[in-house]
Amino acid sequence: MTPPTADELGLRLCHHCRLACDATAQHCPRCNTWLHRRKHNSIARAWALMMTALILYIPANVLPIMHTSSFTGDSDTTILGSVVTLWLDGAWDIALIIFIASVGVPVTKFLVLGLLLLTVGRGSERSRRDRTRLYRGLELIGYWSMLDVFVAGLLVALVQFGALGSIEPRIGILYFGLVVVLTMLATMSFDPRLIWDTEPHHE
Amino acid sequence: MSELSDLIICEYCDAVYQRPRLHAHQRANCRRCGGVLARPHLFHVDHLLALCLTAVLLVVFLGVSPVLVIQTQGQAHPATLFDAVWALTRGPTDLLALVAGFSVILVPLVQVALMSWILGFAHFRQKAPGFRGCMRTLTSLSPWSMLEVFLLGALVTVFKITGRIEVLPTLGLAALAGLSLLIIGMAGRDIHRLWDELP
């Protein structure tokens, strides 16, 4: 037995305060937010934001994120470089955390969002429940890839004096931060209800 | 209106249900997509107010207290939240300092301020002036509050430079952990009940 949908009952969900509103109303009577049946241009916006993020993800990985200078010389670190260094130093646990946050999470987001956008675009009716679950996963991992940005900030703030040399942020980390923000915006633009809109109506 | 507020719509698949009566530790899931429809509240409104005041104190403490201190040659070098964000303005990454400042300083600050305002009035069973706007701002801001990521970042930083220098975790780090938990628990879920409970 499937529950009725908001469309069938002439209702709309208010995104802000979660009130069930009459579908003829333009604003939520409780919080006055503009009501939409579905997010506007959901698919086009999510695609655009995701593709931009995907393009910026290249310089984020290729360009250095930090510059270290000390007695032993100057060196530039990339994201993957710092993971490898940590791994070789024996700090495999920290290496793993950084790898998951900086590579695992963004790549998963690209793959999952791409899959959702493709299947919704084709009006696929397969495994809707699992795809909705994937979307909730996307929301959950949202900002955790910001980790490396904060680590960079803290390292630069702590190590800024003679004896140990100095650390400066480099442009790669900026691209990386933008990737995180853009993928978050892309996830928010996607409307998971589109996954269910293909359901054949048999009442 | 009163009928409509007894209905609950799944935000993931638009299925409609009668609002269930939940006991503690129960959770209502959508039959169609499995999403969470409703969960019981963790705290009473007055408890929320008390937690919120705790959060205010933690914010003040974090404003002045370092989250990490490193020790070299007998000298201590502290870094506060603000220092870490400010450090990103060095080099070509100013824009990122804005993003970081927004997500670990401005957003948590606004969240705690708005929650204090709303809960202060809710204590007297009243809607605060600007209630709608405050609640809407809180909902929009909650995905952008990244204190907990910063916390993990601070822990990773400790391990990254230990061995080369001595790092001292501080009370600030504990305060950061507490504040993250409070904000997740309140802004993320419990504050929402005020829509239903205030007249």
CSV table of all heavy atoms in Angstrom, one decimal, chain A residues 95-153:
chain,number,residue,atom,x,y,z
A,95,ALA,N,46.8,10.1,7.2
A,95,ALA,CA,46.8,10.1,5.7
A,95,ALA,C,45.4,9.7,5.2
A,95,ALA,O,44.9,10.2,4.2
A,95,ALA,CB,47.9,9.2,5.2
A,96,LEU,N,44.9,8.6,5.8
A,96,LEU,CA,43.6,8.1,5.4
A,96,LEU,C,42.5,9.1,5.6
A,96,LEU,O,41.6,9.4,4.7
A,96,LEU,CB,43.3,6.8,6.2
A,96,LEU,CG,42.2,6.0,5.6
A,96,LEU,CD1,42.7,5.4,4.3
A,96,LEU,CD2,41.9,4.8,6.6
A,97,ILE,N,42.5,9.8,6.7
A,97,ILE,CA,41.5,10.8,7.0
A,97,ILE,C,41.5,11.9,5.9
A,97,ILE,O,40.5,12.3,5.3
A,97,ILE,CB,41.6,11.5,8.4
A,97,ILE,CG1,41.3,10.5,9.5
A,97,ILE,CG2,40.7,12.7,8.5
A,97,ILE,CD1,41.5,11.0,10.9
A,98,ILE,N,42.7,12.4,5.6
A,98,ILE,CA,42.9,13.5,4.7
A,98,ILE,C,42.5,13.0,3.3
A,98,ILE,O,41.8,13.7,2.5
A,98,ILE,CB,44.3,14.1,4.7
A,98,ILE,CG1,44.6,14.7,6.0
A,98,ILE,CG2,44.5,15.1,3.6
A,98,ILE,CD1,45.8,15.5,6.1
A,99,PHE,N,42.9,11.7,3.0
A,99,PHE,CA,42.5,11.2,1.7
A,99,PHE,C,41.0,11.1,1.5
A,99,PHE,O,40.5,11.5,0.5
A,99,PHE,CB,43.2,9.8,1.5
A,99,PHE,CG,42.9,9.2,0.1
A,99,PHE,CD1,43.7,9.6,-1.0
A,99,PHE,CD2,41.9,8.3,-0.1
A,99,PHE,CE1,43.4,9.1,-2.2
A,99,PHE,CE2,41.7,7.7,-1.3
A,99,PHE,CZ,42.4,8.1,-2.4
A,100,ILE,N,40.3,10.6,2.5
A,100,ILE,CA,38.9,10.5,2.4
A,100,ILE,C,38.2,11.8,2.3
A,100,ILE,O,37.4,12.0,1.4
A,100,ILE,CB,38.3,9.8,3.7
A,100,ILE,CG1,38.7,8.3,3.7
A,100,ILE,CG2,36.8,9.9,3.8
A,100,ILE,CD1,38.4,7.5,5.0
A,101,ALA,N,38.7,12.8,3.1
A,101,ALA,CA,38.1,14.1,3.0
A,101,ALA,C,38.3,14.8,1.7
A,101,ALA,O,37.5,15.5,1.2
A,101,ALA,CB,38.6,15.0,4.2
A,102,SER,N,39.6,14.7,1.2
A,102,SER,CA,40.0,15.5,0.1
A,102,SER,C,39.8,14.9,-1.3
A,102,SER,O,39.6,15.5,-2.3
A,102,SER,CB,41.4,16.0,0.2
A,102,SER,OG,41.7,16.3,1.5
A,103,VAL,N,39.8,13.6,-1.3
A,103,VAL,CA,39.6,12.8,-2.6
A,103,VAL,C,38.4,12.0,-2.5
A,103,VAL,O,37.5,12.1,-3.4
A,103,VAL,CB,40.9,11.9,-2.9
A,103,VAL,CG1,40.7,11.3,-4.2
A,103,VAL,CG2,42.1,12.8,-2.9
A,104,GLY,N,38.2,11.2,-1.5
A,104,GLY,CA,37.1,10.3,-1.4
A,104,GLY,C,35.7,11.0,-1.5
A,104,GLY,O,34.9,10.7,-2.3
A,105,VAL,N,35.6,12.0,-0.6
A,105,VAL,CA,34.3,12.7,-0.5
A,105,VAL,C,33.9,13.5,-1.8
A,105,VAL,O,32.9,13.3,-2.4
A,105,VAL,CB,34.2,13.6,0.7
A,105,VAL,CG1,33.0,14.5,0.7
A,105,VAL,CG2,34.3,12.8,2.0
A,106,PRO,N,34.9,14.3,-2.3
A,106,PRO,CA,34.5,15.0,-3.6
A,106,PRO,C,34.2,14.1,-4.7
A,106,PRO,O,33.2,14.3,-5.5
A,106,PRO,CB,35.7,15.9,-3.9
A,106,PRO,CG,36.5,16.0,-2.6
A,106,PRO,CD,36.1,14.7,-1.8
A,107,VAL,N,35.0,13.0,-4.9
A,107,VAL,CA,34.8,12.1,-6.0
A,107,VAL,C,33.5,11.4,-5.9
A,107,VAL,O,32.7,11.3,-6.8
A,107,VAL,CB,36.0,11.1,-6.2
A,107,VAL,CG1,35.7,10.0,-7.1
A,107,VAL,CG2,37.3,11.9,-6.6
A,108,THR,N,33.2,10.9,-4.6
A,108,THR,CA,31.9,10.3,-4.4
A,108,THR,C,30.8,11.2,-4.8
A,108,THR,O,29.8,10.9,-5.4
A,108,THR,CB,31.8,9.9,-2.9
A,108,THR,OG1,32.9,9.2,-2.5
A,108,THR,CG2,30.5,9.1,-2.7
A,109,LYS,N,30.9,12.5,-4.4
A,109,LYS,CA,29.8,13.5,-4.7
A,109,LYS,C,29.6,13.6,-6.2
A,109,LYS,O,28.5,13.6,-6.6
A,109,LYS,CB,30.2,14.8,-4.1
A,109,LYS,CG,29.9,15.0,-2.6
A,109,LYS,CD,29.6,16.4,-2.4
A,109,LYS,CE,30.5,16.9,-1.2
A,109,LYS,NZ,30.3,18.3,-1.0
A,110,PHE,N,30.8,13.7,-6.9
A,110,PHE,CA,30.6,13.9,-8.4
A,110,PHE,C,29.9,12.7,-9.0
A,110,PHE,O,29.0,12.8,-9.8
A,110,PHE,CB,32.0,14.0,-9.0
A,110,PHE,CG,32.7,15.3,-8.7
A,110,PHE,CD1,34.0,15.4,-8.3
A,110,PHE,CD2,32.0,16.5,-8.9
A,110,PHE,CE1,34.6,16.6,-8.1
A,110,PHE,CE2,32.6,17.8,-8.6
A,110,PHE,CZ,33.9,17.8,-8.2
A,111,LEU,N,30.3,11.5,-8.6
A,111,LEU,CA,29.8,10.2,-9.1
A,111,LEU,C,28.3,10.1,-8.8
A,111,LEU,O,27.5,9.9,-9.7
A,111,LEU,CB,30.5,9.0,-8.6
A,111,LEU,CG,32.0,8.9,-9.1
A,111,LEU,CD1,32.7,7.7,-8.5
A,111,LEU,CD2,32.0,8.8,-10.7
A,112,VAL,N,28.0,10.3,-7.5
A,112,VAL,CA,26.6,10.1,-7.1
A,112,VAL,C,25.7,11.1,-7.7
A,112,VAL,O,24.6,10.8,-8.2
A,112,VAL,CB,26.5,10.1,-5.5
A,112,VAL,CG1,25.0,10.1,-5.1
A,112,VAL,CG2,27.2,8.9,-4.9
A,113,LEU,N,26.1,12.4,-7.6
A,113,LEU,CA,25.2,13.5,-8.2
A,113,LEU,C,25.1,13.3,-9.7
A,113,LEU,O,24.0,13.4,-10.3
A,113,LEU,CB,25.8,14.8,-7.9
A,113,LEU,CG,24.9,16.0,-8.0
A,113,LEU,CD1,23.7,15.8,-7.1
A,113,LEU,CD2,25.6,17.3,-7.6
A,114,GLY,N,26.2,12.9,-10.4
A,114,GLY,CA,26.1,12.6,-11.8
A,114,GLY,C,25.1,11.5,-12.1
A,114,GLY,O,24.3,11.6,-13.0
A,115,LEU,N,25.2,10.4,-11.3
A,115,LEU,CA,24.3,9.3,-11.5
A,115,LEU,C,22.8,9.7,-11.3
A,115,LEU,O,21.9,9.4,-12.1
A,115,LEU,CB,24.6,8.2,-10.5
A,115,LEU,CG,23.7,7.0,-10.5
A,115,LEU,CD1,24.2,6.0,-11.5
A,115,LEU,CD2,23.7,6.3,-9.1
A,116,LEU,N,22.6,10.5,-10.2
A,116,LEU,CA,21.2,10.9,-9.9
A,116,LEU,C,20.7,11.8,-11.1
A,116,LEU,O,19.6,11.7,-11.5
A,116,LEU,CB,21.2,11.7,-8.6
A,116,LEU,CG,21.4,10.9,-7.3
A,116,LEU,CD1,21.3,11.8,-6.1
A,116,LEU,CD2,20.3,9.8,-7.2
A,117,LEU,N,21.5,12.8,-11.5
A,117,LEU,CA,21.1,13.7,-12.6
A,117,LEU,C,20.8,12.9,-13.9
A,117,LEU,O,19.8,13.2,-14.6
A,117,LEU,CB,22.2,14.7,-12.8
A,117,LEU,CG,22.2,15.8,-11.7
A,117,LEU,CD1,23.5,16.6,-11.8
A,117,LEU,CD2,21.0,16.7,-11.8
A,118,LEU,N,21.7,12.0,-14.2
A,118,LEU,CA,21.5,11.2,-15.4
A,118,LEU,C,20.2,10.4,-15.4
A,118,LEU,O,19.4,10.4,-16.3
A,118,LEU,CB,22.7,10.2,-15.7
A,118,LEU,CG,23.9,10.9,-16.3
A,118,LEU,CD1,25.0,9.9,-16.4
A,118,LEU,CD2,23.6,11.5,-17.7
A,119,THR,N,20.0,9.6,-14.2
A,119,THR,CA,18.8,8.8,-14.2
A,119,THR,C,17.5,9.6,-14.1
A,119,THR,O,16.5,9.2,-14.7
A,119,THR,CB,18.9,7.9,-12.9
A,119,THR,OG1,19.2,8.7,-11.8
A,119,THR,CG2,19.9,6.8,-13.1
A,120,VAL,N,17.6,10.7,-13.4
A,120,VAL,CA,16.4,11.5,-13.3
A,120,VAL,C,16.1,12.2,-14.7
A,120,VAL,O,14.9,12.2,-15.2
A,120,VAL,CB,16.5,12.6,-12.3
A,120,VAL,CG1,15.5,13.7,-12.5
A,120,VAL,CG2,16.3,12.0,-10.9
A,121,GLY,N,17.1,12.6,-15.4
A,121,GLY,CA,17.0,13.1,-16.7
A,121,GLY,C,16.4,12.1,-17.7
A,121,GLY,O,15.6,12.5,-18.6
A,122,ARG,N,16.7,10.9,-17.5
A,122,ARG,CA,16.1,9.8,-18.4
A,122,ARG,C,14.8,9.3,-17.9
A,122,ARG,O,14.2,8.5,-18.6
A,122,ARG,CB,17.1,8.7,-18.6
A,122,ARG,CG,18.3,9.0,-19.4
A,122,ARG,CD,19.2,7.8,-19.6
A,122,ARG,NE,18.6,6.5,-19.3
A,122,ARG,CZ,19.1,5.5,-18.7
A,122,ARG,NH1,20.3,5.7,-18.2
A,122,ARG,NH2,18.5,4.4,-18.5
A,123,GLY,N,14.3,9.8,-16.8
A,123,GLY,CA,13.1,9.4,-16.3
A,123,GLY,C,13.1,7.9,-15.8
A,123,GLY,O,12.1,7.2,-15.9
A,124,SER,N,14.2,7.5,-15.3
A,124,SER,CA,14.3,6.1,-14.9
A,124,SER,C,13.4,5.8,-13.7
A,124,SER,O,13.1,6.6,-12.9
A,124,SER,CB,15.8,5.9,-14.5
A,124,SER,OG,15.9,4.6,-13.8
A,125,GLU,N,12.9,4.5,-13.8
A,125,GLU,CA,12.0,4.1,-12.7
A,125,GLU,C,12.7,3.1,-11.8
A,125,GLU,O,12.0,2.5,-10.9
A,125,GLU,CB,10.7,3.5,-13.3
A,125,GLU,CG,9.9,4.5,-14.0
A,125,GLU,CD,8.7,3.9,-14.7
A,125,GLU,OE1,8.3,2.7,-14.4
A,125,GLU,OE2,8.1,4.5,-15.6
A,126,ARG,N,13.9,2.9,-12.0
A,126,ARG,CA,14.6,1.8,-11.3
A,126,ARG,C,15.1,2.3,-9.9
A,126,ARG,O,15.5,3.4,-9.7
A,126,ARG,CB,15.8,1.3,-12.1
A,126,ARG,CG,15.3,0.4,-13.3
A,126,ARG,CD,16.5,0.0,-14.1
A,126,ARG,NE,17.5,-0.7,-13.4
A,126,ARG,CZ,18.7,-0.9,-13.9
A,126,ARG,NH1,19.0,-0.5,-15.1
A,126,ARG,NH2,19.6,-1.5,-13.2
A,127,SER,N,15.0,1.4,-9.0
A,127,SER,CA,15.5,1.5,-7.6
A,127,SER,C,15.4,3.0,-7.1
A,127,SER,O,16.4,3.6,-6.7
A,127,SER,CB,16.9,1.0,-7.4
A,127,SER,OG,17.7,1.4,-8.5
A,128,ARG,N,14.2,3.5,-7.0
A,128,ARG,CA,14.0,4.9,-6.6
A,128,ARG,C,14.4,5.0,-5.1
A,128,ARG,O,15.0,6.0,-4.7
A,128,ARG,CB,12.5,5.3,-6.7
A,128,ARG,CG,12.0,5.3,-8.0
A,128,ARG,CD,10.8,6.1,-8.0
A,128,ARG,NE,10.1,6.1,-9.3
A,128,ARG,CZ,9.4,5.1,-9.7
A,128,ARG,NH1,9.1,4.1,-8.9
A,128,ARG,NH2,8.8,5.1,-10.9
A,129,ARG,N,14.1,4.0,-4.3
A,129,ARG,CA,14.4,4.1,-2.9
A,129,ARG,C,15.9,4.2,-2.6
A,129,ARG,O,16.3,5.0,-1.8
A,129,ARG,CB,13.8,2.9,-2.2
A,129,ARG,CG,13.3,3.0,-0.8
A,129,ARG,CD,12.8,1.7,-0.3
A,129,ARG,NE,13.0,1.6,1.1
A,129,ARG,CZ,12.0,1.9,2.0
A,129,ARG,NH1,10.8,2.3,1.5
A,129,ARG,NH2,12.2,1.8,3.3
A,130,ASP,N,16.6,3.4,-3.4
A,130,ASP,CA,18.1,3.5,-3.2
A,130,ASP,C,18.7,4.8,-3.7
A,130,ASP,O,19.6,5.3,-3.1
A,130,ASP,CB,18.7,2.3,-4.0
A,130,ASP,CG,18.4,1.0,-3.3
A,130,ASP,OD1,18.3,1.0,-2.1
A,130,ASP,OD2,18.4,-0.1,-4.0
A,131,ARG,N,18.1,5.3,-4.8
A,131,ARG,CA,18.6,6.6,-5.2
A,131,ARG,C,18.3,7.7,-4.2
A,131,ARG,O,19.1,8.6,-4.0
A,131,ARG,CB,18.0,6.9,-6.6
A,131,ARG,CG,18.8,6.1,-7.7
A,131,ARG,CD,18.4,6.6,-9.1
A,131,ARG,NE,17.0,6.0,-9.5
A,131,ARG,CZ,16.2,6.7,-10.2
A,131,ARG,NH1,16.4,7.9,-10.6
A,131,ARG,NH2,15.0,6.1,-10.5
A,132,THR,N,17.1,7.6,-3.6
A,132,THR,CA,16.8,8.6,-2.6
A,132,THR,C,17.8,8.5,-1.4
A,132,THR,O,18.2,9.5,-0.9
A,132,THR,CB,15.4,8.4,-2.1
A,132,THR,OG1,14.5,8.2,-3.2
A,132,THR,CG2,14.9,9.7,-1.3
A,133,ARG,N,18.1,7.3,-1.1
A,133,ARG,CA,19.1,7.1,0.0
A,133,ARG,C,20.4,7.7,-0.4
A,133,ARG,O,21.1,8.3,0.4
A,133,ARG,CB,19.2,5.6,0.3
A,133,ARG,CG,19.9,5.2,1.6
A,133,ARG,CD,19.7,3.8,1.9
A,133,ARG,NE,18.4,3.3,2.1
A,133,ARG,CZ,17.9,2.1,1.8
A,133,ARG,NH1,18.7,1.3,1.2
A,133,ARG,NH2,16.7,1.8,2.0
A,134,LEU,N,20.8,7.5,-1.6
A,134,LEU,CA,22.1,8.1,-2.1
A,134,LEU,C,22.1,9.6,-1.9
A,134,LEU,O,23.0,10.2,-1.5
A,134,LEU,CB,22.3,7.8,-3.6
A,134,LEU,CG,22.9,6.4,-3.9
A,134,LEU,CD1,23.0,6.2,-5.4
A,134,LEU,CD2,24.3,6.2,-3.3
A,135,TYR,N,20.9,10.2,-2.2
A,135,TYR,CA,20.8,11.6,-2.1
A,135,TYR,C,21.0,12.1,-0.6
A,135,TYR,O,21.7,13.0,-0.3
A,135,TYR,CB,19.5,12.2,-2.6
A,135,TYR,CG,19.4,13.7,-2.5
A,135,TYR,CD1,20.1,14.5,-3.3
A,135,TYR,CD2,18.6,14.2,-1.4
A,135,TYR,CE1,20.0,15.9,-3.2
A,135,TYR,CE2,18.6,15.6,-1.3
A,135,TYR,CZ,19.3,16.4,-2.1
A,135,TYR,OH,19.2,17.8,-2.0
A,136,ARG,N,20.4,11.3,0.3
A,136,ARG,CA,20.5,11.6,1.7
A,136,ARG,C,22.0,11.5,2.1
A,136,ARG,O,22.5,12.3,2.9
A,136,ARG,CB,19.6,10.8,2.5
A,136,ARG,CG,18.2,11.1,2.5
A,136,ARG,CD,17.4,10.6,3.6
A,136,ARG,NE,17.3,9.1,3.5
A,136,ARG,CZ,16.4,8.5,2.9
A,136,ARG,NH1,15.4,9.1,2.3
A,136,ARG,NH2,16.3,7.2,2.9
A,137,GLY,N,22.7,10.5,1.5
A,137,GLY,CA,24.1,10.4,1.8
A,137,GLY,C,24.9,11.6,1.4
A,137,GLY,O,25.8,12.1,2.1
A,138,LEU,N,24.5,12.1,0.2
A,138,LEU,CA,25.2,13.3,-0.3
A,138,LEU,C,25.0,14.5,0.6
A,138,LEU,O,26.0,15.2,0.9
A,138,LEU,CB,24.5,13.8,-1.6
A,138,LEU,CG,25.0,13.2,-3.0
A,138,LEU,CD1,24.3,14.0,-4.1
A,138,LEU,CD2,26.5,13.3,-3.1
A,139,GLU,N,23.8,14.7,1.2
A,139,GLU,CA,23.6,15.7,2.1
A,139,GLU,C,24.4,15.6,3.3
A,139,GLU,O,24.9,16.5,3.9
A,139,GLU,CB,22.1,15.7,2.5
A,139,GLU,CG,21.1,16.3,1.5
A,139,GLU,CD,19.7,16.4,2.1
A,139,GLU,OE1,19.3,15.5,2.8
A,139,GLU,OE2,19.1,17.4,1.7
A,140,LEU,N,24.6,14.3,3.7
A,140,LEU,CA,25.3,14.0,5.0
A,140,LEU,C,26.8,14.3,4.9
A,140,LEU,O,27.4,14.9,5.8
A,140,LEU,CB,25.1,12.5,5.3
A,140,LEU,CG,25.3,12.1,6.7
A,140,LEU,CD1,24.1,12.7,7.5
A,140,LEU,CD2,25.2,10.6,6.8
A,141,ILE,N,27.4,14.0,3.7
A,141,ILE,CA,28.9,14.2,3.6
A,141,ILE,C,29.2,15.6,3.2
A,141,ILE,O,30.3,16.0,3.3
A,141,ILE,CB,29.5,13.2,2.6
A,141,ILE,CG1,29.0,13.3,1.2
A,141,ILE,CG2,29.4,11.8,3.1
A,141,ILE,CD1,29.6,12.4,0.2
A,142,GLY,N,28.2,16.4,2.8
A,142,GLY,CA,28.3,17.7,2.4
A,142,GLY,C,29.6,18.5,2.6
A,142,GLY,O,30.4,18.6,1.7
A,143,TYR,N,29.9,18.9,3.8
A,143,TYR,CA,31.0,19.8,4.0
A,143,TYR,C,32.2,19.2,4.5
A,143,TYR,O,33.2,19.9,4.8
A,143,TYR,CB,30.5,21.0,4.9
A,143,TYR,CG,29.9,20.5,6.2
A,143,TYR,CD1,30.5,19.6,7.0
A,143,TYR,CD2,28.7,21.1,6.6
A,143,TYR,CE1,29.9,19.2,8.1
A,143,TYR,CE2,28.0,20.7,7.7
A,143,TYR,CZ,28.6,19.7,8.5
A,143,TYR,OH,28.1,19.3,9.7
A,144,TRP,N,32.2,17.9,4.7
A,144,TRP,CA,33.4,17.3,5.4
A,144,TRP,C,34.7,17.5,4.6
A,144,TRP,O,35.8,17.4,5.1
A,144,TRP,CB,33.2,15.9,5.8
A,144,TRP,CG,32.3,15.8,7.0
A,144,TRP,CD1,31.0,15.5,7.0
A,144,TRP,CD2,32.7,16.0,8.3
A,144,TRP,NE1,30.5,15.6,8.3
A,144,TRP,CE2,31.5,15.9,9.1
A,144,TRP,CE3,33.9,16.3,9.0
A,144,TRP,CZ2,31.5,16.0,10.5
A,144,TRP,CZ3,33.9,16.4,10.3
A,144,TRP,CH2,32.7,16.3,11.1
A,145,SER,N,34.6,17.7,3.3
A,145,SER,CA,35.8,17.9,2.5
A,145,SER,C,36.4,19.2,2.8
A,145,SER,O,37.5,19.5,2.3
A,145,SER,CB,35.5,17.7,1.0
A,145,SER,OG,34.2,18.0,0.7
A,146,MET,N,35.8,20.1,3.6
A,146,MET,CA,36.4,21.4,3.9
A,146,MET,C,37.6,21.1,4.9
A,146,MET,O,38.4,22.1,5.1
A,146,MET,CB,35.4,22.2,4.6
A,146,MET,CG,35.4,23.7,4.3
A,146,MET,SD,35.5,24.1,2.6
A,146,MET,CE,35.1,25.8,2.7
A,147,LEU,N,37.8,19.9,5.3
A,147,LEU,CA,38.8,19.6,6.3
A,147,LEU,C,40.2,20.2,6.0
A,147,LEU,O,40.8,20.8,6.8
A,147,LEU,CB,38.9,18.1,6.4
A,147,LEU,CG,39.9,17.6,7.5
A,147,LEU,CD1,39.3,17.8,8.9
A,147,LEU,CD2,40.2,16.1,7.3
A,148,ASP,N,40.6,19.9,4.7
A,148,ASP,CA,42.0,20.3,4.4
A,148,ASP,C,42.2,21.8,4.4
A,148,ASP,O,43.3,22.3,4.7
A,148,ASP,CB,42.3,19.8,3.0
A,148,ASP,CG,43.6,18.9,3.0
A,148,ASP,OD1,44.1,18.6,4.1
A,148,ASP,OD2,44.1,18.6,1.9
A,149,VAL,N,41.1,22.5,4.1
A,149,VAL,CA,41.2,24.0,4.1
A,149,VAL,C,41.5,24.5,5.6
A,149,VAL,O,42.4,25.3,5.8
A,149,VAL,CB,39.9,24.6,3.6
A,149,VAL,CG1,39.9,26.1,3.9
A,149,VAL,CG2,39.6,24.2,2.2
A,150,PHE,N,40.8,23.9,6.5
A,150,PHE,CA,41.0,24.3,7.9
A,150,PHE,C,42.3,23.8,8.4
A,150,PHE,O,43.0,24.6,9.2
A,150,PHE,CB,39.8,23.7,8.8
A,150,PHE,CG,38.5,24.3,8.4
A,150,PHE,CD1,37.4,23.5,8.4
A,150,PHE,CD2,38.4,25.6,8.1
A,150,PHE,CE1,36.1,24.0,8.1
A,150,PHE,CE2,37.1,26.1,7.7
A,150,PHE,CZ,36.0,25.3,7.7
A,151,VAL,N,42.8,22.6,8.0
A,151,VAL,CA,44.1,22.2,8.4
A,151,VAL,C,45.1,23.2,7.9
A,151,VAL,O,46.0,23.6,8.6
A,151,VAL,CB,44.4,20.8,7.9
A,151,VAL,CG1,45.8,20.4,8.2
A,151,VAL,CG2,43.5,19.8,8.6
A,152,ALA,N,45.0,23.6,6.7
A,152,ALA,CA,45.9,24.5,6.1
A,152,ALA,C,45.9,25.8,6.9
A,152,ALA,O,47.0,26.3,7.3
A,152,ALA,CB,45.6,24.8,4.6
A,153,GLY,N,44.7,26.3,7.2
A,153,GLY,CA,44.6,27.6,8.0
A,153,GLY,C,45.3,27.5,9.3
A,153,GLY,O,46.1,28.3,9.7
